[in-house]
Amino acid sequence: MGNLIEHARGQIYAWQTEHGRLNRVQQFTLRHLFPYPKRLRWAGKFLRFYHRSGLRSLAHKTQITKLLPQHLRDYEDILPTPSSPTLTTWPTVTSPQTSPKGRVGLLTGCVMDALMSPINEATIRVVAHNGWEVVMPTQQVCCGALHVHAGDRLTARSLARTNIRAFLEADVDYVITNSAGCGAAMKEYPDLFEELSEEEYDLATQFANKVRDVSEFLVETGFEPPKHSISGAVTYHDACHLCHAQKIRQQPRRLIQSIPGIQFEEMPNADRCCGSAGIYNLTHPDMAGKLLDQKVADIPPDVDTVVLGNPGCLLQIKAGLNKHQRHVNVVHTVELLDLAYQQESGLES
């Protein structure tokens, strides 16, 4: 069904393009922002300036933010201060302390690297800790997931070609991602080329067969359970593109429950959408808001941390918890595992 919907959206998008009916904001973000890593980095620099220069405090004091729609004010309240992008500040190759088991390529992502680069850093440390060499191809670009969802298959295909070439030329055994939406899109790259040339379809298939979510990769290839205990009550939210699209449910739970001291509690309706769904929370804020309210209500009252595997869900649930004045941490699965490894290393040193 998802495949049919995406093809239908592609036909609608093509018609809108031909007849000049495209939303200008959507057209700008999809075709003139996300495909260009340098422009995304400049957007990240602007957000860092907005946070650190005092502009954000001034905007709140003067209540100018009240000019924004309520759902945008909710997200502005929890917007993190962007760190420097991993792709431009970390070494291209990170080697493990032991002889490497193999070589993996990390998709740094667009939103992830612009707003949440500490998750990329945690991913590199965790994968290297488990014996793998991690490479970040510098020519990689946005995965194209948002474009496919919006129907812009032409731009998605162009981005896919760039990523396929960048990672295959890097000669990696696996391509790992820490974003559920990115992983689902890249595993479906062959669908973008099946009606074109056989050669491109074969290359896309070769690439897609290497793609793994980081939780899937660690469980499949074997990971070292942390030795250090972390106390806390934790629940897990199933991102739609992880559990429904990629059928990854138990792997993140195995990683979480491998950490000594964690009190794990299942969330009711854990696989119910939080309302993020790419940019659905921006294009359909009323329905997304209702889904978010239900998601927050499903978070058990006695947990102090919600763990998940998708950046959109992370921002969405943070906004919902802030709106309902619930003081609960929201972290990526790999961040929790990284914390356990780092504390373990601290004890050893």
Side-chain angles (χ1 to χ4, degrees), residues 18-293:
E18 184 180 348
H19 293 84
R21 301 289 183 87
L22 282 178
N23 178 292
R24 290 186 179 181
V25 175
Q26 186 182 53
Q27 186 177 21
F28 170 77
T29 55
L30 291 180
R31 292 202 164 181
H32 302 290
L33 179 61
F34 284 111
Y36 300 96
K38 287 185 178 179
R39 295 178 189 179
L40 281 170
R41 288 196 282 271
W42 275 108
K45 287 180 180 179
F46 171 77
L47 286 175
R48 285 196 294 277
F49 177 77
Y50 174 65
H51 275 262
R52 296 169 179 171
S53 66
L55 277 178
R56 189 185 190 206
S57 298
L58 181 63
H60 282 261
K61 285 178 182 178
T62 59
Q63 299 186 338
I64 197 171
T65 54
K66 289 191 174 180
L67 297 175
L68 296 171
Q70 181 61 52
H71 69 288
L72 292 182
R73 295 207 301 272
D74 291 340
Y75 299 125
E76 196 278 340
D77 284 342
I78 55 88
L79 197 64
T81 303
S83 302
S84 298
T86 320
L87 193 59
T88 58
T89 57
W90 272 60
T92 305
V93 178
T94 300
S95 300
Q97 294 183 349
T98 59
S99 179
K101 298 177 182 177
R103 181 177 169 93
V104 302
L106 172 65
L107 180 90
T108 55
C110 44
V111 173
M112 185 67 85
D113 214 30
L115 293 181
M116 290 171 269
S117 59
I119 296 177
N120 279 338
E121 295 170 10
T123 302
I124 295 170
R125 285 191 295 267
V126 165
V127 173
H129 180 91
N130 281 281
W132 293 83
E133 185 177 72
V134 184
V135 59
M136 292 185 292
T138 56
Q139 299 305 312
Q140 63 176 290
V141 291
C142 170
C143 71
L146 295 177
H147 303 81
V148 172
H149 300 161
D152 186 1
R153 297 177 71 82
L154 185 65
T155 304
R157 196 174 288 122
S158 174
L159 294 170
R161 286 191 180 105
T162 300
N163 282 329
I164 290 168
R165 182 171 60 253
F167 282 94
L168 291 184
E169 287 180 356
D171 192 27
V172 295
D173 301 300
Y174 296 94
V175 177
I176 58 171
T177 175
N178 46 33
S179 171
C182 295
M186 293 194 300
K187 288 179 179 180
E188 294 176 355
Y189 271 0
D191 180 56
L192 291 170
F193 299 99
E194 64 180 349
E195 296 175 358
L196 299 178
S197 72
E198 184 177 346
E199 180 183 359
E200 286 194 303
Y201 177 81
D202 289 342
L203 285 173
T205 301
Q206 182 184 345
F207 172 89
N209 288 337
K210 293 176 180 283
V211 176
R212 301 288 189 279
D213 178 77
V214 62
S215 64
E216 176 187 27
F217 168 78
L218 290 168
V219 171
E220 179 181 326
T221 61
F223 72 99
E224 177 188 325
K227 301 179 181 68
H228 184 76
S229 176
I230 296 180
S231 60
V234 170
T235 192
Y236 178 75
H237 159 71
D238 285 289
C240 294
H241 277 99
L242 205 55
C243 68
H244 298 307
Q246 299 187 62
K247 311 301 180 187
I248 297 172
R249 294 175 181 266
Q250 295 308 314
Q251 294 94 323
R253 289 171 169 83
R254 281 189 59 183
L255 297 180
I256 295 166
Q257 292 174 303
S258 74
I259 303 172
I262 290 292
Q263 301 169 27
F264 183 76
E265 183 174 349
E266 279 289 352
M267 181 191 303
N269 306 303
D271 61 354
R272 177 183 287 163
C273 182
C274 67
S276 173
I279 57 172
Y280 187 82
N281 50 2
L282 302 179
T283 57
H284 298 79
D286 292 338
M287 178 59 75
K290 292 175 182 177
L291 290 169
L292 179 57
D293 289 341

